[in-house]
Amino acid sequence: MTTDTPRPSQIDTSKAHPARIYDWLLGGKDNYPVDEAVGEKLPPEARDAARQNRQFMHRAAAWAAAQGIDQFLDIGTGIPTEPNLHQIVQQITPAAKVVYTDNDPIVLRHAQALLISRREGKTDYIEADVREPDAILERARAVLDFDRPITLSLIALMHFIPDEQDAHGIVRNLVATLPSGSCLVLSHAASDLYPELAERVTAEYAKGGIRLGFRTRSEVARFFDGLELVEPGLVTAPEWFTTPPAPAPEGSGIYAAVARIP
């Protein structure tokens, strides 16, 4: 089952956007020269980080579905890249419901790819910004039952929210709306694993008009305050897995974790 796609907003091709840079890093074609210009100046490790984020999402979403959670709120969805979250979870739980959210109009233009749900399930797409959580939650409640467990997915998103915009408060307030048994899935760029690379990436994004707020391990851990971390806890993205085979060992500047809401 799918829902109608709203009319896209106008796309500003004069400014780089994180979703389109991420698409370029993943080898996608749904980006513009202004996005490519930022991507080309990033170190090659940025491509690795994009891939690692995506692979972590695959493993974490599959884990949540295997636990019996059949509702997902994915904020900061990005441009569709198969397999998308609903394709992963509906293989395990065909009746799963997924609400996607992003603030880039180009994602909305491709939202039909996100709305091809299995007949038993449902998907929806919201064009909104994580800094406006009330708007997201109001729309999400039309699809998701907030009296039953929900997985909140924030993949490579919160490092685009600097401290003065209260990144931790945004996550805390979103988590507070979720019932016991829900999960938070979050990955975040590190400022302390490869400091020189982090500074270079931050500087190149800034030249493109995008502010970043990379964080230390302890700062990322604060997103999970009061929650129950799932083993292996807060680790780098390639280190997070729950069932064999283990991902190939590799360096990573991305922290990742899954936590249950008690």
Side-chain angles (χ1 to χ4, degrees):
M1 179 177 180
T2 62
T3 57
D4 293 334
T5 306
R7 185 177 180 180
S9 320
Q10 184 175 359
I11 297 172
D12 185 351
T13 61
S14 68
K15 297 179 181 178
H17 190 281
R20 302 196 304 263
I21 297 172
Y22 192 65
D23 176 72
W24 185 88
L25 291 170
L26 288 171
K29 304 298 182 184
D30 295 305
N31 51 76
Y32 295 94
V34 66
D35 309 300
E36 182 177 357
V38 175
E40 285 184 334
K41 293 181 180 179
L42 296 174
E45 290 84 355
R47 287 179 180 263
D48 294 334
R51 171 181 52 81
Q52 292 165 353
N53 265 306
R54 196 77 189 168
Q55 292 171 343
F56 163 68
M57 183 276 285
H58 294 169
R59 296 192 296 273
W63 175 86
Q67 304 309 300
I69 299 178
D70 62 358
Q71 302 188 105
F72 294 79
L73 176 56
D74 181 44
I75 305 178
T77 296
I79 293 165
T81 303
E82 292 195 0
N84 293 295
L85 188 150
H86 72 279
Q87 293 167 319
I88 294 168
V89 301
Q90 288 181 350
Q91 279 190 330
I92 301 167
T93 306
K97 297 179 179 180
V98 179
V99 173
Y100 292 108
T101 304
D102 205 283
N103 68 349
D104 185 356
I106 198 173
V107 181
L108 179 57
R109 291 200 175 181
H110 293 274
Q112 192 60 39
L114 300 173
L115 297 177
I116 302 175
S117 169
R118 290 201 179 196
R119 182 177 301 177
E120 305 95 320
K122 187 173 184 179
T123 60
D124 195 7
Y125 180 81
I126 305 168
E127 185 181 349
D129 194 298
V130 71
R131 287 164 289 203
E132 300 171 352
D134 290 345
I136 294 173
L137 293 170
E138 181 180 359
R139 279 282 305 276
R141 290 181 189 279
V143 176
L144 306 179
D145 179 359
F146 278 69
D147 290 325
R148 297 194 304 109
I150 294 170
T151 294
L152 171 62
S153 177
L154 302 172
I155 301 296
L157 174 64
M158 299 313 295
H159 51 246
F160 291 102
I161 310 298
D163 286 341
E164 61 268 26
Q165 294 179 1
D166 195 18
H168 290 97
I170 289 171
V171 174
R172 183 170 57 251
N173 291 337
L174 285 167
V175 167
T177 68
L178 304 179
S180 175
S182 296
C183 287
L184 170 63
V185 174
L186 183 145
S187 64
H188 195 292
S191 62
D192 54 351
L193 292 174
Y194 300 96
E196 292 183 2
L197 281 175
E199 290 178 6
R200 180 178 169 188
V201 170
T202 299
E204 294 300 338
Y205 269 89
K207 292 175 185 176
I210 299 169
R211 295 183 60 201
L212 293 177
F214 287 10
R215 294 181 171 91
T216 64
R217 188 182 188 281
S218 62
E219 290 169 335
V220 174
R222 285 182 53 203
F223 288 112
F224 300 95
D225 282 353
L227 308 184
E228 301 170 352
L229 285 171
V230 173
E231 290 293 335
L234 179 58
V235 293
T236 64
E239 294 175 311
W240 197 94
F241 72 100
T242 57
T243 56
E250 60 178 325
S252 176
I254 302 294
Y255 287 121
V258 176
R260 293 186 180 92
I261 297 171

